[in-house]
């Protein structure tokens, strides 16, 4: 059984690390363009604030979350960008306060939700642990965009295991979102964690295999680096097919990053 308190502590720590990157930035820093087309640092943090608040509403008031979904359905392909654009218009200090309040509300709401509850979301309902893990993954991924923008290298932590877990759980989704047949058999994933530990998923005798540093795998599945720039190794026809389409986040296929963009 997942230790929810430990998972929420990791989510809090991941958010706090990103907070330390953006809090000292001046107005020009918040307006800097990030690797996500059309998004500044302000857009990145405004997006996290909006999504954390939506997740908090899903946990605390599912009926009210229905109104959030209804509003999103008015612009199903553009509501994410629209919310980020609207939020980014505020002053940096206000954006940061908003995100801090939203992520605190989220942690409180998830901690208060009974075990076994399924939370409504924009896709299939999610368990409390899955919601917390998804929020950590997205916080880490958008934090990577910010770190790349301001020229900071973040030391990898064991929190990457949560990101990698989603990366393994979404292998079938990556095929589906590209209209490709889903592999019938599970992949074997073997990753080396930041401290040298081996993290594994899937059967040992799987024909399709993925291995490499956990950091590189996480950069791959969040599409923050091009596969050509990573030390992720694959074996098996379907694993090779998955490599360029890997996607841990929901929604339509992402555009990823160009090879050599961060050399």
């Amino acid at each position: 059984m997942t230790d929810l308190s430990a998972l929420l502590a990791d989510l809090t720590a991941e958010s706090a690390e990103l907070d330390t990157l953006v809090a000292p930035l001046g107005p020009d820093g918040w307006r800097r363009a990030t690797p996500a087309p059309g998004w500044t640092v302000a857009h990145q943090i405004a997006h996290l604030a909006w999504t954390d608040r939506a997740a908090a509403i899903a946990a605390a008031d599912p009926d009210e979350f229905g109104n959030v979904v209804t509003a999103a359905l008015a612009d199903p392909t553009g509501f994410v960008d629209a919310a980020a654009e609207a939020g980014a218009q505020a002053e940096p200090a206000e954006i940061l306060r908003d995100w801090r309040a939203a992520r605190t509300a989220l942690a409180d709401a998830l901690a208060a939700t009974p075990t076994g509850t399924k939370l409504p979301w924009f896709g299939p309902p999610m368990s409390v642990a899955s919601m917390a893990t998804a929020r950590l993954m997205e916080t880490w991924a958008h934090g990577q965009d910010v770190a790349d923008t301001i020229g900071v290298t973040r030391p990898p932590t064991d929190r990457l295991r949560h990101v990698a877990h989603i990366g393994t759980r979404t292998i079938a989704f990556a095929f589906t979102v590209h209209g490709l047949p889903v592999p019938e058999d599970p992949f074997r994933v073997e990753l080396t964690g930041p401290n040298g530990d081996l993290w594994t998923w899937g059967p040992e005798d799987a024909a399709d295999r993925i291995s490499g540093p956990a950091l590189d795998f996480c950069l791959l599945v969040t599409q923050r680096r091009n596969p050509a720039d990573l030390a992720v190794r694959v074996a098996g026809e379907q694993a090779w097919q998955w490599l360029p389409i890997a996607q841990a986040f929901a929604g339509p296929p992402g555009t990823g990053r160009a090879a050599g963009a961060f050399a």
Side-chain angles (χ1 to χ4, degrees):
M1 180 179 295
T2 301
D3 184 344
L4 183 60
S5 61
L7 179 53
L8 292 177
D10 282 348
L11 173 57
T12 297
E14 195 63 47
S15 299
E17 182 177 280
L18 176 53
D19 195 310
T20 64
L21 297 185
V22 299
L25 297 178
D28 289 344
W30 281 79
R31 288 192 291 267
R32 289 183 64 178
T34 69
W39 281 32
T40 64
V41 171
H43 286 80
Q44 299 278 355
I45 303 304
H47 169 70
L48 289 176
W50 185 90
T51 315
D52 283 349
R53 184 178 301 103
I57 294 172
D61 191 346
D63 290 338
E64 176 59 26
F65 182 73
N67 295 328
V68 176
V69 173
T70 298
L73 289 175
D75 184 14
T77 61
F79 76 93
V80 171
D81 284 334
E85 177 66 25
Q89 301 312 304
E91 293 297 320
E94 181 180 346
I95 298 171
L96 188 53
R97 283 195 301 269
D98 188 34
W99 179 43
R100 287 170 174 169
R103 73 195 203 222
T104 298
L106 172 61
D108 291 344
L110 293 179
T113 302
T115 302
T117 301
K118 288 292 186 180
L119 306 179
W121 198 236
F122 299 99
M126 304 173 71
S127 69
V128 176
S130 292
M131 180 68 81
T133 304
R135 297 310 311 134
L136 190 155
M137 179 273 293
E138 190 170 18
T139 300
W140 181 84
H142 288 284
Q144 186 63 49
D145 288 335
V146 172
D148 289 334
T149 300
I150 64 177
V152 171
T153 299
R154 300 182 300 173
T157 73
D158 280 345
R159 296 192 298 272
L160 289 176
R161 187 161 192 160
H162 302 300
V163 182
H165 180 67
I166 292 186
T168 65
R169 293 288 298 272
T170 52
I171 288 173
F173 168 74
F175 283 87
T176 299
V177 78
H178 282 84
L180 298 171
V182 175
E184 294 183 2
D185 298 319
F187 290 10
R188 173 70 170 182
V189 179
E190 299 181 346
L191 305 176
T192 304
N195 295 318
D197 298 336
L198 182 64
W199 302 346
T200 64
W201 293 263
E204 293 185 14
D205 60 351
D208 290 278
R209 311 178 70 84
I210 306 162
S211 61
L215 174 60
D216 286 37
F217 180 84
C218 292
L219 290 167
L220 172 71
V221 298
T222 57
Q223 296 189 2
R224 263 50 189 185
R225 292 292 186 274
N226 189 281
D229 298 330
L230 298 170
V232 175
R233 301 177 295 276
V234 299
E237 180 179 350
Q238 291 179 310
W240 276 107
Q241 190 177 22
W242 168 84
L243 186 66
I245 64 171
Q247 177 173 327
F249 51 89
T255 57
R257 304 288 184 260
F262 301 94

